[in-house]
Amino acid sequence: MPRTEEQYKEIRNEKKKLITNVALKLFANEGYTRTSINQIAKEANISKGLLYNYFQSKEELLKHILNALGEEFSEFIDPNKDDVVTEQEAFNYIDITFEMLKNQRESLKYYYQLAFQPEVMEILSNPNVIREDIIKQEYLLLDFLAAKQPNVNPKIVVTNIISFMKGFSMMYVYSPETYTDEFLEEYKIYLKEFIAK
Amino acid sequence: MPRTEEQYKEIRNEKKKLITNVALKLFANEGYTRTSINQIAKEANISKGLLYNYFQSKEELLKHILNALGEEFSEFIDPNKDDVVTEQEAFNYIDITFEMLKNQRESLKYYYQLAFQPEVMEILSNPNVIREDIIKQEYLLLDFLAAKQPNVNPKIVVTNIISFMKGFSMMYVYSPETYTDEFLEEYKIYLKEFIAK
Amino acid sequence: MPRTEEQYKEIRNEKKKLITNVALKLFANEGYTRTSINQIAKEANISKGLLYNYFQSKEELLKHILNALGEEFSEFIDPNKDDVVTEQEAFNYIDITFEMLKNQRESLKYYYQLAFQPEVMEILSNPNVIREDIIKQEYLLLDFLAAKQPNVNPKIVVTNIISFMKGFSMMYVYSPETYTDEFLEEYKIYLKEFIAK
Amino acid sequence: MPRTEEQYKEIRNEKKKLITNVALKLFANEGYTRTSINQIAKEANISKGLLYNYFQSKEELLKHILNALGEEFSEFIDPNKDDVVTEQEAFNYIDITFEMLKNQRESLKYYYQLAFQPEVMEILSNPNVIREDIIKQEYLLLDFLAAKQPNVNPKIVVTNIISFMKGFSMMYVYSPETYTDEFLEEYKIYLKEFIAK
DNA sequence: AATGAATGAGGTTTCATTCAT
DNA sequence: TATGAATGAAACCTCATTCAT
């Protein structure tokens, strides 16, 4: 008697998660092209064939990973979506962002390490893996912040914030040993004050 | 009549430069692993064999490129090397950095696109390609800046500056169309004021 | 309440027929080697495992199909088997052949498309799938026809007939749109006249 | 000092011919799909890699072979191309066809064995490998022959001839041991008489 | 009787590197 | 200096077959 559909689904999800996890780490640390299907299979203790039972191709596996990461992040930033940003929402955004930095540290690290690989960038430029909602959210925030410093070229303000954020998370990701949780807290406060000025 | 030794050297340098340029672009845009020796040779209009006449291996070629880029950048920041940073030298550093951003835009772009590839990072961590002098220079600057704001946690000040710089150059490199020369000028002034505060 | 043995047998035969039909079409149209067990199972809406419950291997399945086709055809040509061919029997043979062309068109098409694949030819040359009786029948007919034109090299007569038949059925199979039932009738008459001359 | 362009071309042509010959035999006898690149390389005493230096893919190799066979045959049937067929030209066609059967026996055998494989038929239906000129030539001949027997349905006449030809060459190819050169001669005479009637 | 997850051998293809010329 | 034919290891992927359930 065969297993129930439920049981099969369970098995599939379990294995898919396993493969995804192993592949993410390898893709991020060794590079997508340099990571072989063999390596992934060995690390996950499965056969090459099985991997292709779950993912049509190496690229499909990568896309799945990128989408999953996107999902993971988007759960963090999903406010009321009314297209308007109040000061409170701005602070919330900061909070949430730092929360994410803290709690999703590993995922974020992998995402960054992945996202800058040319092979991956090519795929990320494909619209069906872009997280439109996240990007929009960020633009609303930037408009809000620019409006708060009317005497400065808004482009400069926006650039400041984005540079801060980008550079900060970059460093956070690439030299995690110097970015402790306490420092994150201190930095968050500083950043809010700087914005509120 | 045979060429003089000078002429041969000339030819060698010429060819090496050609190969290096072609490879840099391909490595940066397509990824190191994904770029084949064949591609490089074809693009450079030479034979595969000739390439191996100039570089022992693909990895040697990459190392050469990374070193060359380092040289190129280091020519810009080579002050009197007395291990002390005055305010003037700090401003000079800003000037020089922005000058580099402007004049070495393409090289910088390639460097960034290269440096984030895991395959390349592995090699860059190899000490013989690190530009010790540049890094030291930057740390001196950061100490100086931190000392100027004694009431703020110096680590925060340093983080601010580095984040600024990293994030800014990152964006500068990855979305060149929005970062015009005029905007660079404006931003430079703003940054100096912010530091001088 | 459990099924009777009869019912089980019924189910088995039903399923076997289903698999056989699906496999025949795929083997004929896509090629034996190129057709995967997966494809067959999917097309037949069963699992791979079940297929192996009915057929020991892919090759076993092919052999079964070839045998079944042989059976199908042999039902048409099974006269009194007295090893002698009268004129009436010769005409009968023509009639039967054309009948078969008309009624077994699809099977014949599949058979031809199968039989010319080298992988299949190899198996067909294996004696246990050869239809000795059919071949013998045909040779008897050819002898009879050759005897009717004593002034012509009998080998030529035989060659004529066989060429006619082979070429005709070949074309009939591979370009069915130009070979309508009416044309078959006309051709049959023509052929009989030609033979009776 | 590298070889001259001539020399390289020579080497390439030599090797291409070698690979083509080996592959043709294997594809014909074992089947296209069943023949592995490994087999071809081993039989040709070259490395797998080299094969891909000459042919982009297995399918490309097949196409090349089919085209080459087409060329080979087309050299035989290349009359004055005035779109009209005289009786003499018709006889010429017979002569040439039989000449080809005799001289190109092996190539023809390979071609037939190839052309009936479903994988190959798919490719042959691709127009760029069809020999339009040959087909046209044959149709002109058929029209001519049909016109010579006005009291018979021309479709029947055409079918007769084509069946003859197809079936005959088929048998000629698949049972070469019974089709000697003398028999070919005899048959040719018979066929001409039959046509001239 | 029936399922589909799992395997591993073997298929096609790519590519850094070597080498005779 | 310069060429590109040649190699072989290793990459991605397919597939007949097995087996626990």
Side-chain angles (χ1 to χ4, degrees), chain C residues 36-37 48 52 58:
Chain C
S36 74
I37 294 291
K48 266 183 292 188
Y52 277 89
K58 195 184 174 187

Side-chain angles (χ1 to χ4, degrees), chain D residues 1-2 35-37 52 57-58:
Chain D
M1 236 155 299
T35 299
S36 74
I37 294 291
Y52 281 89
S57 68
K58 195 182 172 186

